[in-house]
Amino acid sequence: MRIGMRLLLGYFLIVAIAAWFVLSIFLQEVKPGVRRATEGTLIDTATLLAEFARADMLAGNAQNGQLAQAFSRLNQHNFQANIGGITKSRNEYRVYLTDAKGIVLFDSSGKATGQDYSRWNDVWLTLQGKYGARSTPVNANKPESTVMYVAAPVRDGVNIVGVLSVGKPNSALEPVIHRSERRILWAGVALLGIALMIGFGVVLWINRSIGQLVRYADSVTEEHPLPLPKPGSSELRKLALALESMRLKLEGKSYIEQYVHALTHELKSPLAAIRGAAEILREGPPPEVIEKFSGNILQQNLRMQQLVDNLLRQAKLESRAEIIPQPIHLAALFSALCDSREVIAHSKKISLSINESALKDTIVEGDFALLEQAIGNLLDNALDFTRPGGEITLSIENADDGIAILVTDTGSGIPDYARDRVFERFYSLPRSNGQKSSGLGLAFVREVARLHRGTITLENRPEGGAQARLSLPGK
């Protein structure tokens, strides 16, 4: 089972157990909670009605007093009340009044008048000055037919002269209880559904981040490293940096071997030229010969110095795991790059221009020095492979996921055999003047693109020439 599915199941199991625990407590508390609230209402009602019953009892007219007349009129009128979706159309209270001996003087149902209720808890406890209440089934075979009674004392001064009891069937509470239970259950189902959606989203995010790291590791194995991914979590970010650090260390040995081999190969020609010039100078040739071969020595020395500088710059760049991005105005960057190469382009009779209409006030996030050198390398590469009378254009393209910097030329293009190798270190093609470069310029651009989490491509144009595309992600 995949780790994402395990995380989802584990998360859902925890939420389900927690939801079951909370729902069970709520459901267990619904029925007693409703009954406690109803009992509190019955106490208030009984206490209030006891004050009306007091006047009837003192007047000796309990059966036809104000309380009896009120219930008689109440039963003659129907009403409709919608209480939160529950319809109520009749009075459900049963009220009876007993004297100090527990004999029923008045019963709103008309069934118990004259009976002895002194042994019922509500009457017996109240006559003793205690809180009296009871719950008694109407039908012994039906536990749900119970009626809850709450009593209040009828006082004459400090003496208890009677008891007024108010009863309400527990079945009248069932619609409220069932509705509350249904709502709680629906809330629980919604909670589990929302939790599952959140968990699914988190798992997708984790799988996506891990997938990025896996693809990055696979690309390293294939020796074509992708840009270092940028997971949203600090822990995954540390893992990505650890993978990048491991990549750099694992590549170290073969990396050094390649550099040593390339450096040895590249230094052979200038060293041979310097040695040949030195042997000629030892023979004491004429001054014009000395001047010629001294110039050769200086020229080859400069060539070796540039090669070593390029190697050090490339090695330093490839050892970096990340950059600190800053806002860069492309208009200013393009202008500076073209100004620095205007003399070379003019000497080669090449037109170097910027597409101002597409540029506007475009800003990208990145390392200014690295991008300046990378785009400069692309311009130098275009200048080297464009014949006199050609054109080089610097422009941009906006995309949904970022910005693409384009360097377009009308040069000789890329031979088919070299398309897959142009970004390799030390691989180079003959320039328009027949010479070859160090082969590090485009490799440097590839590393800069990787550090900026972008890509670099170099393709031939249908109308002739080549186009380099340096794609950078958006903010």
Side-chain angles (χ1 to χ4, degrees):
M1 184 182 294
R2 298 181 62 179
I3 184 171
M5 185 58 65
R6 292 183 181 181
L7 289 173
L8 179 60
L9 290 178
Y11 168 79
F12 185 73
L13 182 61
I14 292 173
V15 173
I17 292 174
W20 173 82
F21 182 74
V22 173
L23 288 175
S24 64
I25 293 177
F26 270 99
L27 291 175
Q28 290 172 10
E29 288 295 320
V30 166
K31 186 174 291 187
V34 171
R35 290 184 176 177
R36 282 194 294 268
T38 304
E39 186 175 351
T41 304
L42 291 176
I43 293 173
D44 294 337
T45 304
T47 304
L48 178 62
L49 294 179
E51 294 299 319
F52 290 96
R54 174 177 172 276
D56 292 344
M57 291 188 68
L58 293 179
N61 192 23
Q63 293 185 4
N64 297 303
Q66 292 183 357
L67 185 64
Q69 293 177 16
F71 271 94
S72 177
R73 290 192 297 269
L74 177 65
N75 293 329
Q76 293 176 4
H77 301 286
N78 294 324
F79 61 90
Q80 292 288 333
N82 190 328
I83 306 173
I86 299 175
T87 302
K88 182 177 176 66
S89 59
R90 62 186 178 87
N91 176 41
E92 295 164 333
Y93 281 157
R94 180 194 175 190
V95 176
Y96 57 83
L97 176 64
T98 69
D99 60 15
K101 294 181 180 180
I103 303 300
V104 179
L105 302 178
F106 165 76
D107 182 4
S108 63
S109 67
K111 298 179 181 179
T113 304
Q115 295 183 18
D116 184 0
Y117 271 24
S118 60
R119 293 185 179 181
W120 291 114
N121 277 343
D122 57 325
V123 177
W124 183 65
L125 291 173
T126 304
L127 289 174
Q128 295 183 37
K130 300 178 182 179
Y131 169 61
R134 68 182 171 96
S135 184
T136 305
V138 176
N139 187 337
N141 297 323
K142 295 182 178 180
E144 67 277 6
S145 67
T146 56
V147 180
M148 179 167 48
Y149 292 95
V150 174
V154 180
R155 296 180 184 272
D156 182 13
V158 295
N159 298 320
I160 298 177
V161 297
V163 176
L164 186 138
S165 295
V166 179
K168 185 168 186 174
N170 286 323
S171 60
L173 309 178
E174 291 301 319
V176 177
I177 294 173
H178 289 161
R179 184 186 64 178
S180 300
E181 289 177 342
R182 285 196 303 271
R183 289 186 175 182
I184 291 173
L185 288 174
W186 275 113
V189 172
L191 172 65
L192 290 177
I194 294 172
L196 183 60
M197 292 175 62
I198 294 174
F200 188 70
V202 171
V203 168
L204 285 179
W205 171 74
I206 292 176
N207 282 342
R208 178 176 175 274
S209 299
I210 294 177
Q212 289 177 340
L213 295 177
V214 170
R215 286 191 294 272
Y216 173 73
D218 290 340
S219 70
V220 171
T221 304
E222 297 170 359
E223 297 184 356
H224 294 288
L226 293 172
L228 182 65
K230 190 178 182 181
S233 167
S234 59
E235 291 79 6
L236 292 176
R237 177 66 177 164
K238 291 179 181 178
L239 178 58
L241 292 175
L243 285 174
E244 176 69 357
S245 177
M246 181 178 66
R247 178 188 77 85
L248 295 175
K249 291 181 180 180
L250 290 176
E251 287 184 348
K253 182 178 179 181
S254 59
Y255 185 78
I256 293 173
E257 289 177 351
Q258 292 177 15
Y259 266 49
V260 170
H261 176 76
L263 183 62
T264 302
H265 180 271
E266 293 294 329
L267 291 179
K268 281 184 178 180
S269 296
L271 285 175
I274 291 173
R275 180 178 180 179
E279 290 177 349
I280 292 175
L281 292 177
R282 288 183 61 183
E283 298 177 357
E288 62 275 11
V289 177
I290 293 176
E291 182 178 359
K292 175 183 177 182
F293 284 95
S294 296
N296 287 344
I297 292 175
L298 293 175
Q299 183 181 7
Q300 296 302 324
N301 179 72
L302 178 61
R303 179 182 173 187
M304 289 191 296
Q305 184 64 46
Q306 290 176 343
L307 177 62
V308 171
D309 290 343
N310 288 337
L311 285 172
L312 291 175
R313 189 183 303 111
Q314 182 76 12
K316 183 179 180 181
L317 178 66
E318 293 181 355
S319 65
R320 294 178 64 171
E322 60 180 343
I323 60 172
I324 301 176
Q326 296 177 344
I328 301 172
H329 292 268
L330 288 183
L333 176 59
F334 286 4
S335 179
L337 287 169
C338 289
D339 289 345
S340 64
R341 287 159 177 80
E342 184 177 4
V343 175
I344 298 176
H346 181 72
S347 65
K348 292 186 175 183
K349 298 180 181 180
I350 296 174
S351 173
L352 182 58
S353 61
I354 300 174
N355 187 346
E356 300 284 354
S357 60
L359 192 57
K360 296 182 181 179
D361 297 325
T362 305
I363 298 176
V364 297
E365 295 283 338
D367 186 295
F368 183 88
L370 290 181
L371 284 178
E372 181 181 33
Q373 190 167 355
I375 301 172
N377 285 356
L378 294 177
L379 284 175
D380 293 338
N381 192 68
L383 287 168
D384 287 339
F385 290 93
T386 302
R387 295 183 178 87
E391 297 179 359
I392 298 175
T393 304
L394 196 55
S395 63
I396 66 165
E397 274 187 5
N398 291 311
D400 294 337
D401 56 349
I403 292 175
I405 297 173
L406 308 178
V407 179
T408 306
D409 64 57
T410 58
S412 57
I414 311 165
D416 292 339
Y417 65 84
R419 287 186 178 181
D420 297 331
R421 302 190 60 189
V422 288
F423 293 105
E424 292 182 8
R425 289 188 294 264
F426 311 113
Y427 184 82
S428 63
L429 294 170
R431 304 175 183 175
S432 57
N433 58 8
Q435 297 181 356
K436 296 181 69 175
S437 65
S438 63
L440 294 174
L442 292 180
F444 182 90
V445 176
R446 183 182 66 176
E447 288 300 314
V448 171
R450 180 185 64 82
L451 285 175
H452 284 79
R453 295 181 176 84
T455 58
I456 177 67
T457 58
L458 188 60
E459 299 290 340
N460 287 330
R461 302 170 62 210
E463 60 270 31
Q467 183 180 76
R469 178 186 293 268
L470 177 57
S471 300
L472 301 176
K475 297 182 181 180

